[in-house]
Structures are given as C-alpha cells and as structure tokens.
Amino acid sequence: MADTQKEQERTKLHATIWSIANDLRGSVDGWDFKQYVLGMLFYRFISENLNSFINQEQKRAGVENFNYAKLTDAEAEIARDHILEVKGFFILPSELFATVRKEAINNTKYAEETLNETLATVFKNIADSAEGTASEDNMKGLFDDIDVNSKKLGATATKRNQQLIKLLTKIGKLSLGNYNDNSIDVFGDAYEYLMGMYAADAGKSGGEYFTPQEVSELLARITVVGKTTVNKVYDPACGSGSLLLKFAKVLGKDNVRNGFFGQEKNHTTYNLCRINMFLHDINYEQFDIANDDTLTTPKHLDDEPFEAIVSNPPYSTEWDGDGNSVLINDERFSPAGVLAPKSKADLAFVMHVLSHLATNGTAAIVSFPGVMYRGGAEQKIRKYLVDNNYVDAVIQLPKDLFFGTPIATCILVLKKNKPDNKVLFIDATAEFIRIDSKSKLNNKHIDKILDCYTNRQSQEHFAHLAEHQQIKDNNYNISVGSYVAPKDETEVIDISELNNRISKIVTQQQQLRNQIDAIVADLAGQA
C-alpha cells in the first residue's frame, strides 16, 4: 500500500476517534474512553474474523455462498466445539458485532432500552465460551474494562444506550484493512493516537508508555539481523504488545517459531495486550501473556530461553531490591553480585532479560540514559555486563519520541555470543523529523541506524566501535556521548575578513555622522 493511501486511512481513523471523543466528551475521561474505543474495535474484529473463518471453511467444503451470520443460534451451536478448538472462542450469530449493530440502528426500542444489557451479555458469553478449554486463560477477563452499564456513559439506561449506539455505528464504519497486506495497523495506530490525546491521563493511570510503532520496528529489526526465523520472542514489560507484534510484521507470524511471550503488571494494559494479539490474528495457542510483577514473580522461567527479546520497561521505577532478601540469591540477579537500587529498577530488568536470552539470541531494551553512566550498584552491574562481553551496542535515540516524556532514551543491545570483544556506540540523536509536536523516526532513519549496527564500524560523529579496555578505562561508562563526538556546527569565522568588515562599518558610520553634522549646521545658519 502506498504511503499516501496509508496516510489517508490513518487520517480517517483519527477523524473517527475524534468524532467519538466529541460524542462522549464530558462524561467519559480519556483513559476510560480509550477502553471503549479499543474494546469495540476488538469486538468487531473477532466477530468478523470468526464469521470469515467459518464461511471460508464451508466454501472449501463445497458449500458456496454460506453465511454464518444468517444461521439461527441453534444451527450454529452444532459447530461450537470445533470452532472453540480452532479459534479459542465462540460467538453466536445473534451476538456478532454486525448483527447487534444492525438491530441497534433499526430497532429504536431495542437501542434505547436493552442495548447495554445485550452488550454486557454478549461480552460475558464470549469470555465464558472458552471456559474449560485450552484458550481459557487467554480469553478470561478480556472485556472486564468495558463497563457498558457505567453511569459515566449516562445517568439513565437510555442515555447510556444513546452513547453506545454512536460508538457501535462509528466503529462499524472503520476500514480495518489487513495486517498482512501492509495497510495501517488500525489497533496500534488507534492506541497511539489515543495515547497522544490523553497522555496526561495515561501517565496518571499507571505511568505506562506506549512504544511508538517506528521504535518498535527498530527494536525488532535489531534482534533479527541476518535471520528469517526466530525461536520464541519475549517482552518482560509488554504493555499493549506493540513490541512483540512487530515481529509478526517484520518476519511474518509463521516465522516466529513457538510463539509470543510477555508479562505485564498493569491489569488493564495486560487485557489490551491479549486483545491486540487477537486483533493481529495471533491465535490463542501462539501467545502466552501473563499478568504479574516480572521482577518478583516471573511467569516464563519454564519457557526460556528466547531467541529475540525486546522491551521498553518503566524508567527508574521502584522495586523490592535489597529489601527482599530472596532476590540477591535469585539466579537472574546474583551473577552481578549486586542488586539494582530500590529506586531504580532499570538494570534489574536488564539482568532479567539477560537470564532469559538464548545463546544465539539478541535483546534490545529501551533504557533511561542515566543507567549508562550512574555510579554505585549500577556501575557494578555495567562492569559485569561489559567484562563478560554481553553488551553488543548502545544506540542513543532522539529526544521527544515517546508519549509522556521528552527525554532522549537509548537502546541497550545484549548478546551472549558476540564475534568480538567490542561495543558499538551509535549517536542517532539527529535522526528524526517533527510531526504533530513529536519526534518521529522514518524508514530512512531506521535503515541508517540498522546499516551502521550491521556493519559494525566507526563513523565520524555517528558511531564508534570501542575496545573493552577503553570502556574499562572510562570506569564502565557506556553513555554514547562519551565515545561519539558530536559534529562541530560552529561557523568558522575569518578574523581578517571580520576586521575588514568592522573597519568599513566604522568608516561608514563616521561618514554618516559628518553628513548629519553638516545638515545640523546648515539648519542652524538658516535660523
């Protein structure tokens, strides 16, 4: 799909979201509003996905013009077990998004009196359909954050239903595209747009940061350089899943062998991540997303090692640290001989990632810049990482790329089987364009960074390949600015030329004064 067409789709999507926001403005705050939009997107997607799947199966079986949506619920029940086994969820024809939307538009009484109750029942039935099956954990609670009976939508059932029908109508008009045909990622783009609209609310509601899609792509591409397939991908602070899903875009989901794994502490965001997986046609048996504190209660110890790990963990967040006597003996953290500070868990996530990384794997972690140069325990952990040759590269990114923070973050790249004992430092702070008051990486910027990372050579003012001894002599400071000198943009001034110009100005100034004195004297004589 051409970039112009993509932008047109994106503009339509943003206009629809803005229109819905205007409909709900004053009743639903930004954070809750996000849940309604994304939840309804999910409901529509899985309805259409299921309907399309069943229709295609029937067509392959020789039944032409079959339409699951037109079956009675009793007729559909016959195929429940088979559909659950394949898709992991089941929706009756009467409960499909298009059916409910059509009834709400055409039946005023239904829309005004029972729409909210119908939706609540539909959402419960979808989640309950997986109970006792292999997909139960991946379906449980997916609609918990969409409260269709909330008084925030309206004081009465009629008012709530009026808002819900607007939501159904406008979500129904969106072009969802196809994630595999290079069209826009509707869910990811909607989420990013909503985060931009309500960044303050997002920060207030758990300090979450959405990783911009172009940064997600850069991280994924770094970890798969030279590869066409990887065995299991992982994100220990997966948020809404945007980083994990870039592997499906970069490699193709079938080239991620044995699945997508992630853990997220915030329950609402954990739900969004699972929703996001389904929206990108990652079926329930292909992902395992857990909801708990990664640092204290890791859920994927039996699934590691992972060949590709990407993450954008919370910056300088608090954790148990040395307040929990068990952690110093935890095999994830003990090799460094010291724990990350209680007030700054950044390197705790790094050590966790390293322990889960396969010997042939690569990890790319978005990091707070201070982690690269601060002293104390963090310096000791960096010493462990550098001396054991785990640090492959450090890439300094431009400032103002992320929602909720203007800082210039960096990427820490880890490997366990490096071809040399050197660290590549890349200064990409100038690789951006400004769009809508934020910095953005475009394809040209991403390609330049990746080419430099792949070629692994020093480039004046852009990259430096540092020997181990140089880093050791620098007290294990691995901040990019300590190794890559910025280009001197100061204008070179010719002193002789400057003096000549000043002399001419002085001469001209004196001539003007003489002319003014003559005019004044002439006027005085006439008087």
Side-chain angles (χ1 to χ4, degrees):
M1 174 178 288
D3 288 343
T4 301
Q5 190 174 347
K6 281 186 179 181
E7 285 306 313
Q8 289 174 347
E9 282 193 10
R10 187 170 287 113
T11 300
K12 290 179 181 178
L13 172 65
H14 294 175
T16 299
I17 293 172
W18 186 256
S19 175
I20 297 170
N22 281 334
D23 289 341
L24 302 184
R25 194 179 303 278
S27 55
V28 179
D29 67 29
W31 194 245
D32 289 333
F33 170 68
K34 176 170 63 66
Q35 308 307 106
Y36 286 106
V37 173
L38 299 177
M40 285 297 182
L41 271 175
F42 174 58
Y43 173 37
R44 178 186 164 188
F45 177 87
I46 62 172
S47 293
E48 295 178 2
N49 181 271
L50 182 70
N51 190 46
S52 175
F53 163 75
I54 297 171
N55 292 345
Q56 288 173 13
E57 275 209 335
Q58 291 298 310
K59 186 175 182 179
R60 283 193 293 269
V63 182
E64 294 292 336
N65 301 317
F66 182 86
N67 188 346
Y68 175 74
K70 291 185 177 180
L71 295 184
T72 66
D73 287 352
E75 291 171 329
E77 283 286 358
I78 299 172
R80 178 185 282 266
D81 290 343
H82 170 66
I83 293 169
L84 277 171
E85 183 180 353
V86 179
K87 299 302 294 182
F89 61 91
F90 179 77
I91 308 175
L92 290 166
S94 66
E95 296 183 341
L96 292 169
F97 176 91
T99 306
V100 173
R101 177 175 177 259
K102 182 178 180 180
E103 185 70 15
I105 292 173
N106 296 332
N107 188 331
T108 303
K109 184 177 180 181
Y110 170 86
E112 291 184 354
E113 296 182 8
T114 62
L115 178 57
N116 60 328
E117 295 175 5
T118 298
L119 287 172
T121 300
V122 169
F123 295 160
K124 183 178 185 302
N125 288 346
I126 295 173
D128 288 351
S129 70
E131 190 172 341
T133 71
S135 63
E136 180 176 2
D137 288 342
N138 286 333
M139 290 298 298
K140 186 184 296 182
L142 283 179
F143 292 99
D144 284 358
D145 296 308
I146 311 168
D147 186 359
V148 292
N149 292 306
S150 172
K151 289 188 177 180
K152 293 179 180 179
L153 286 172
T156 65
T158 299
K159 290 182 178 179
R160 290 194 284 274
N161 287 330
Q162 287 172 349
Q163 300 285 39
L164 289 170
I165 194 170
K166 291 177 183 177
L167 191 58
L168 282 170
T169 301
K170 290 177 180 177
I171 292 295
K173 291 180 179 179
L174 283 173
S175 172
L176 295 186
N178 182 339
Y179 190 68
N180 295 315
D181 71 0
N182 239 353
S183 59
I184 68 165
D185 172 7
V186 174
F187 186 86
D189 201 74
Y191 189 91
E192 185 169 349
Y193 183 66
L194 287 161
M195 288 294 285
M197 288 173 65
Y198 299 108
D201 285 334
K204 184 174 61 179
S205 303
E208 299 151 346
Y209 295 100
F210 173 79
T211 306
Q213 295 180 49
E214 67 274 10
V215 179
S216 299
E217 180 168 340
L218 174 60
L219 292 171
R221 290 176 66 182
I222 285 172
T223 63
V224 299
V225 166
K227 299 179 179 181
T228 55
T229 65
V230 291
N231 182 37
K232 293 189 290 189
V233 298
Y234 174 59
D235 183 348
C238 61
S240 64
S242 62
L243 281 168
L244 286 173
L245 286 164
K246 278 302 171 185
F247 288 103
K249 192 80 169 180
V250 171
L251 292 177
K253 66 175 183 174
D254 294 333
N255 292 319
V256 179
R257 304 190 310 278
N258 298 313
F260 301 76
F261 296 79
Q263 187 162 339
E264 172 56 40
K265 184 177 181 180
N266 182 284
H267 189 270
T268 296
T269 315
Y270 155 71
N271 278 344
L272 286 174
C273 183
R274 293 184 296 152
I275 287 173
N276 212 355
M277 291 291 158
F278 283 110
L279 280 166
H280 290 91
D281 207 22
I282 309 296
N283 213 7
Y284 73 93
E285 76 276 6
Q286 295 173 285
F287 70 87
D288 184 346
I289 308 299
N291 177 216
D292 216 323
D293 188 326
T294 297
L295 298 180
T296 57
T297 316
K299 295 295 186 180
H300 296 106
L301 296 176
D302 294 334
D303 301 304
E304 54 104 352
F306 301 97
E307 190 174 346
I309 302 178
V310 288
S311 194
N312 178 19
Y315 310 141
S316 300
T317 190
E318 293 185 359
W319 76 305
D320 287 358
D322 58 14
N324 184 338
S325 59
V326 174
L327 292 176
I328 191 58
N329 296 314
D330 190 309
E331 61 183 11
R332 296 173 296 160
F333 311 120
S334 58
V338 65
L339 295 171
K342 291 177 67 174
S343 61
K344 300 177 181 68
D346 308 72
L347 289 182
F349 279 102
V350 170
M351 292 297 293
H352 171 91
V353 165
L354 183 65
S355 73
H356 282 59
L357 185 63
T359 54
N360 66 333
T362 304
I365 310 162
V366 178
S367 302
F368 185 80
V371 173
M372 304 300 153
Y373 59 80
R374 289 189 298 233
E378 291 180 311
Q379 183 187 39
K380 293 178 182 177
I381 296 173
R382 291 197 305 274
K383 181 179 186 300
Y384 165 77
L385 295 172
V386 173
D387 285 349
N388 286 277
N389 201 29
Y390 293 135
V391 181
D392 188 46
V394 183
I395 304 168
Q396 185 66 51
L397 296 175
K399 64 181 181 180
D400 208 18
L401 282 177
F402 293 81
F403 295 112
T405 177
I407 63 170
T409 56
C410 57
I411 299 172
L412 178 64
V413 185
L414 303 177
K415 282 189 175 181
K416 286 186 174 178
N417 190 17
K418 290 172 55 184
D420 56 38
N421 195 29
K422 302 174 183 179
V423 176
L424 179 66
F425 295 92
I426 300 176
D427 182 359
T429 53
E431 304 305 312
F432 70 94
I433 55 175
R434 295 292 287 181
I435 298 178
D436 297 332
S437 77
K438 298 297 291 183
S439 298
K440 292 280 186 182
L441 302 176
N442 61 23
N443 290 335
K444 181 180 177 181
H445 302 136
I446 292 173
D447 289 342
K448 180 178 179 180
I449 294 168
L450 281 169
D451 286 344
C452 182
Y453 173 73
T454 304
N455 294 331
R456 206 165 174 76
Q457 294 180 349
S458 296
Q459 296 181 34
E460 189 176 12
H461 306 306
F462 186 68
H464 178 72
L465 189 60
E467 300 282 352
H468 174 266
Q469 189 61 46
Q470 184 180 4
I471 299 173
K472 181 179 179 181
D473 292 343
N474 200 18
N475 295 318
Y476 297 96
N477 179 334
I478 55 173
S479 175
V480 171
S482 298
Y483 300 91
V484 182
K487 186 176 181 179
D488 187 358
E489 301 287 354
T490 305
E491 183 181 356
V492 177
I493 299 175
D494 185 328
I495 298 300
S496 298
E497 174 63 22
L498 179 62
N499 285 333
N500 287 335
R501 289 174 60 189
I502 292 173
S503 179
K504 289 179 181 178
I505 291 171
V506 170
T507 300
Q508 290 174 348
Q509 187 180 47
Q510 187 58 52
Q511 290 173 347
L512 286 171
R513 284 177 177 170
N514 292 339
Q515 291 173 4
I516 291 170
D517 289 343
I519 292 170
V520 171
D522 184 53
L523 291 172
Q526 293 178 7

